[in-house]
Amino acid sequence: MSQPSPSEAGLERLQRDALGYFLRTANPENGLIADSSRPGAPCSIAATGLGLAALVVGAARGFVPRREAAARTLAALRFFRDSPQGEEPDATGHRGFYYHFLDMTTGRRIWDCELSMIDTAILIAGVLTSGNYFSAASDDEREIRELARLLYERIDWPWAVHGGRVVSMGWKPGMGFLTYGWEGYSEAMLLYLLGLGSPSHPLRADSYGAWTATYQWENLYDVDFLFAGPLFTHQLSHLWIDFRGIRDPFMREKRSDYFENSRRATLVQRHYAVRNPNWLEGYGERCWGFTSGPGPGFGKQRGADGLERQFYGYAARGVPFGPDDGTLAPWATLASLPFAPEIVLPALDHFRTTYPDVTSDDGLLTSFNPTFDAGDGSRTGWLCGEHFGLDQGPVVLMIENYRSGLLWSLMRDCPAFVTGLRRAGFREGWLLGSGR
Amino acid sequence: MSPTVSEDPHVELLPDDPYDAELLANVRPAGWTNPPPARRYNLVVLGAGTAGLVAATGAAGLGAKVALVEKDLLGGDCLNVGCVPSKAMLRAARLYTDLDDAARFTGSVLPSPAVDFTAAMERMRRLRAHLSRRDSAERLHALGIDVFLGEASFVDRRRVEVGGALLAFEKALIATGSRAARPGVDGLEAAGYLTNETIFNLTERPRRLLVIGGGPLGCELAQAFCRLGSEVTIASQEPYFLPGEERDAAEILAQALRRDGVDVRLNTVVKSVAREGAEKRARLVNYDQDVTVAVDEILAGVGRVPNVERLNLEAAGVAYDLERGVHVNDFLRTTNRRIYAAGDVALEQKYTHAADATARLVIQNALFRGRKRLSSLVIPWCTYTDPEIAHVGIYVRNARERGFPLKTFTVPMSDVDRAVLDGEAEGFVKIHVRDGTDTILGATIVARHAGEIINEISLAMVAGIGLKTLEQVIHCYPTQAEAIQQAGDAYTRTRLTPRLKALSRRWLAWSRRGR
């Protein structure tokens, strides 16, 4: 096996390139971040939240002057404070939550999209990161702290449960709540912890129990872990929360913790790629990374091996149940860096040397599919031509957590998370010494 | 007393088809004369579907005097308009898909044969007629059962009337089954639609078919019609197919349907249907997306309702409601201690094998003072899509709600040699055990032959066999059921603690030390 690379400098380069996405695609007037680099892409509130957290890393690393980072942050926070909340179909949000996609200029809802609970949680996690990081006495930084508190505290989390037990996935004006709620292990851990931690409108403690009721503790490829297929579901909450050594009742029962669980989930991804049950191109020890995201598009193609394969567009790709069409997401591999550096770094090295077109000065491209014949004879096959905020954010944050643990240590002092973790039943570890 | 059958069956068959004629001759013989009733019966059975037939033949075999009353076709839904015809169709559909897929095996693309829908349906009718011999009036009569064709209703707590004849009983069994629920969609009744009771009468393939409902019937037939060449849209108001089933299973099914070419529309409500000329136009609403699809036929598979009407259950003192059906206790006894119920009319699990099992239970409890409990039955089920989805026992959700710490041993079919060799590597075996033990609490299997594989798990659960023992059972190699042994292997490896491993290593080192 080759020497793991890139070096520290190489990781910093990747971080800086990924951060560039948020600087390039932001609307400086309102701080909103585009969903993707595609011209005309709308704002994604989740990307905006990730961008806020990435700015903190940028400021801490000196990639962005602190004052500029504060100004960009303030533009976003002021926008969310002032933008319309209500039941009208073109508002920005309702009851403290926000619509999934907003117009980059006006900040109004577009595409008849849903008021999204999980995307609001990602936004608010970014907002709270800003609130915790910008601790100086300057007017700007004081205002950031105040707005962060205001935006968090005005979210009406219990409303999103609407009489049931779990948080709904969304709501639409004139139609009401979407029929499905957040159940079973996923990225929604973040959502529940923020909801439980609210000092103004907290979720009931039993909502966490309702969420964990559908947890599946599985033995797959001789690995015992809390199952979820797509890799990013094992990463998202970990962008902010250091789960090492803290455990909720479920993890106490299983004698594990969520950090260890994400490590195992990462190992399972590699096991799957080595098995490569569908004979897809490139898979192996150093070539894995399966998660939700874009793909070549829905259609069939007959490969050189004579096999006809089904390809998909955007899909929740996961291990081991697919859909597996050969699409790989290097950013997701990289975002597992803190969990399993000994397998992530060689994989990253492999991506860079074998499929050099997946890297660019603008950051890692979202996904590629070497099984798909793009007609250009390239080894990379289909290559997603865009960058997405949802991919670039975890790259910035997880490299930082690997290098310095910045986000994790910062958010240990965030009352929202500390209270949320405690109300969810987390004990031990760093929570013992953490103030409320 | 009326000597001949007074009513026409409400299930329609093809009048001019020789196979349907053979079927009718078996299950609704023309000119059948109801026998003179005995003075008293040990058991009067209402309904000659699976539960009724199993109870009647079982009881008669044990020497009971039995009367069996059927208002439609002997054999019930399963034989006539359920499992039997649908599985015959599914087999033909699977064959055409395999032919399309031949390049995977032959290395070259074969010309796809034109689908002969009419022939597939004719084969179905021929096989159905063949299997109907077992349920024929003549055979039942030969077994000593008094077969009454006509509508039964209770006169009082101990007598049933059919076609003017009064049947006095010691014990009675209500096994009248269930029927397709009406979807309640605006305009649908006027536009016309198919259910399981009518769809098997098709002789021409509908070019475009809308399936309403994402349950087992809807999913199976949506896939089958698609594979037989119809353009199929399936609309379900749920976010996943097979509500209640494990999500991984439902997602694999959705992938499979999409791959086959079914237009899958989840979270979608069929708001209204209107007939325009020869076609039907259905308005489908998914949140705020509102589209209209034009189809030639609509199949509704939105659940089952129990057949409790017109039985005069009030006269017999039998409690019921229109949704749950006849109320029974854990011994399947109704509120009249002489009357029992089995099968769809009383069960949540509306499956042929559940009807069969509960009928056997009723024979023991009703005729031999048995104390067999419904809750003690291990009832598996299977949806016969491709891949099949089978389940038995507990779901993860129920386990945590009941405080069982659960652990699931998952074996992807892609890790099973025979599945790989057969080109059937899609799916998984998941076996749920009580964490820390090898006690099997349930399983979900998604595989091309999941319905066959799950029987081993059901056996283990009934016999109290743990996963460790299943690992010790020698399975033929290569077979797909080896997935179960592999789960057992995985379990055994989890028992190999670091301490045991260290001990083993030391022993082996000592063993090879040389002298």
Side-chain angles (χ1 to χ4, degrees), chain B residues 369-383:
Chain B
R369 300 185 180 184
R371 302 285 289 168
K372 299 281 182 188
R373 289 178 178 273
L374 173 64
S375 56
S376 70
L377 297 178
V378 173
I379 302 177
W381 55 86
C382 184
T383 300

Side-chain angles (χ1 to χ4, degrees), chain A residues 172 217-219 222 224 254, chain B residues 288 407-408 410 430 435:
Chain A
K172 287 189 172 188
W217 183 251
E218 299 207 7
N219 175 286
D222 285 329
D224 288 345
K254 303 303 181 192
Chain B
D288 39 14
K407 179 167 179 172
T408 302
T410 301
K430 287 190 183 203
D435 199 1

Side-chain angles (χ1 to χ4, degrees), chain A residues 267-278:
Chain A
L267 295 175
V268 162
Q269 290 247 331
R270 188 181 61 159
H271 282 304
Y272 177 83
V274 169
R275 280 171 160 80
N276 189 9
N278 299 312

Side-chain angles (χ1 to χ4, degrees), chain A residues 186-198:
Chain A
S186 69
E187 68 274 24
M189 167 85 93
L190 183 76
L191 164 69
Y192 280 94
L193 294 177
L194 286 171
L196 288 165
S198 169

Side-chain angles (χ1 to χ4, degrees), chain B residues 148-379:
Chain B
F148 291 83
L149 297 183
E151 197 156 356
S153 69
F154 286 96
V155 177
D156 53 34
R157 296 177 68 89
R158 299 189 64 166
R159 286 182 304 168
V160 167
E161 186 266 329
V162 52
L166 285 176
L167 313 181
F169 59 81
E170 271 303 304
K171 298 286 163 56
L173 170 63
I174 302 167
T176 46
S178 64
R179 62 183 183 278
R182 290 164 177 261
V185 174
D186 273 357
L188 183 61
E189 297 286 339
Y193 65 101
L194 302 165
T195 68
N196 69 300
E197 284 155 17
T198 46
I199 195 158
F200 301 112
N201 283 346
L202 291 178
T203 52
E204 299 293 328
R205 173 181 62 204
R207 188 168 69 79
R208 300 163 302 178
L209 174 70
L210 169 66
V211 177
I212 306 176
L217 174 89
C219 290
E220 286 180 8
L221 291 184
Q223 189 177 42
F225 274 87
C226 175
R227 289 175 161 198
L228 291 171
S230 295
E231 291 169 26
V232 178
T233 301
I234 183 167
S236 169
Q237 55 187 3
E238 302 292 333
Y240 292 99
F241 288 125
L242 308 181
E245 213 56 76
E246 290 187 20
R247 202 182 299 176
D248 296 327
E251 282 183 356
I252 289 180
L253 176 56
Q255 281 175 34
L257 292 184
R258 284 196 188 98
R259 197 175 49 223
D260 278 351
V262 175
D263 180 6
V264 170
R265 293 173 179 269
L266 296 166
N267 293 310
T268 298
V269 177
V270 182
K271 278 283 183 202
S272 61
V273 174
R275 180 180 273 282
E276 283 185 23
E279 67 181 22
K280 297 164 188 180
R281 299 177 71 81
R283 207 181 124 216
L284 310 183
V285 177
N286 169 302
Y287 299 122
D288 39 14
Q289 290 177 343
D290 197 330
V291 297
T292 298
V293 296
V295 294
D296 305 298
E297 294 286 359
I298 296 173
L299 166 67
V302 293
R304 312 282 304 168
V305 289
N307 293 325
V308 289
E309 299 86 352
R310 304 215 300 264
L311 295 170
N312 201 17
L313 292 170
E314 292 80 0
V318 172
Y320 71 98
D321 65 66
L322 298 177
E323 204 171 302
R324 275 169 53 210
V326 173
H327 298 182
V328 290
N329 64 13
D330 206 22
F331 303 103
L332 291 172
R333 204 165 71 185
T334 68
T335 45
N336 178 336
R337 64 185 182 83
R338 293 180 181 279
I339 302 177
Y340 290 73
D344 286 10
V345 77
L347 298 182
E348 194 183 327
Q349 299 100 327
K350 295 188 185 342
Y351 309 110
T352 294
H353 50 272
D356 182 309
T358 50
R360 291 165 197 258
L361 192 148
V362 165
I363 294 174
Q364 296 178 62
N365 288 357
L367 303 182
F368 298 99
R369 300 185 180 184
R371 302 285 289 168
K372 299 281 182 188
R373 289 178 178 273
L374 173 64
S375 56
S376 70
L377 297 178
V378 173
I379 302 177

Side-chain angles (χ1 to χ4, degrees), chain A residues 109 111-113 165 169 172 175 177-181 183-184 212-222 224 227 250 253-254 272 275 277 279 298 300 302 306-308 310 312 316 320-324, chain B residues 100 103-104 107 109 237-240 246-248 252 255 258-260 267 286-288 396-398 400-401 404-412 414-415 420 425 427-428 430 432 435 489-491 493-494:
Chain A
R109 174 195 187 210
W111 287 348
D112 294 328
C113 65
R165 294 177 61 201
M169 287 197 170
K172 287 189 172 188
M175 195 210 76
F177 285 98
L178 307 191
T179 49
Y180 215 68
E183 289 182 273
T212 60
T214 42
Y215 271 17
Q216 290 173 241
W217 183 251
E218 299 207 7
N219 175 286
L220 173 66
Y221 305 145
D222 285 329
D224 288 345
F227 178 79
F250 181 85
E253 179 190 301
K254 303 303 181 192
Y272 177 83
R275 280 171 160 80
W279 297 279
F298 191 82
K300 291 181 178 170
R302 193 172 299 282
L307 299 185
E308 188 179 65
Q310 176 72 57
Y312 299 89
F321 307 126
D324 183 10
Chain B
D100 275 346
R104 277 207 298 156
V109 183
Q237 55 187 3
E238 302 292 333
Y240 292 99
E246 290 187 20
R247 202 182 299 176
D248 296 327
I252 289 180
Q255 281 175 34
R258 284 196 188 98
R259 197 175 49 223
D260 278 351
N267 293 310
N286 169 302
Y287 299 122
D288 39 14
V396 174
R397 169 197 308 272
N398 309 129
R400 295 205 72 76
E401 279 168 0
F404 294 155
L406 205 70
K407 179 167 179 172
T408 302
F409 286 87
T410 301
V411 177
S414 55
D415 272 9
V420 173
F428 58 78
K430 287 190 183 203
H432 307 308
D435 199 1
D489 280 336
Y491 168 79
R493 286 193 292 274
T494 64

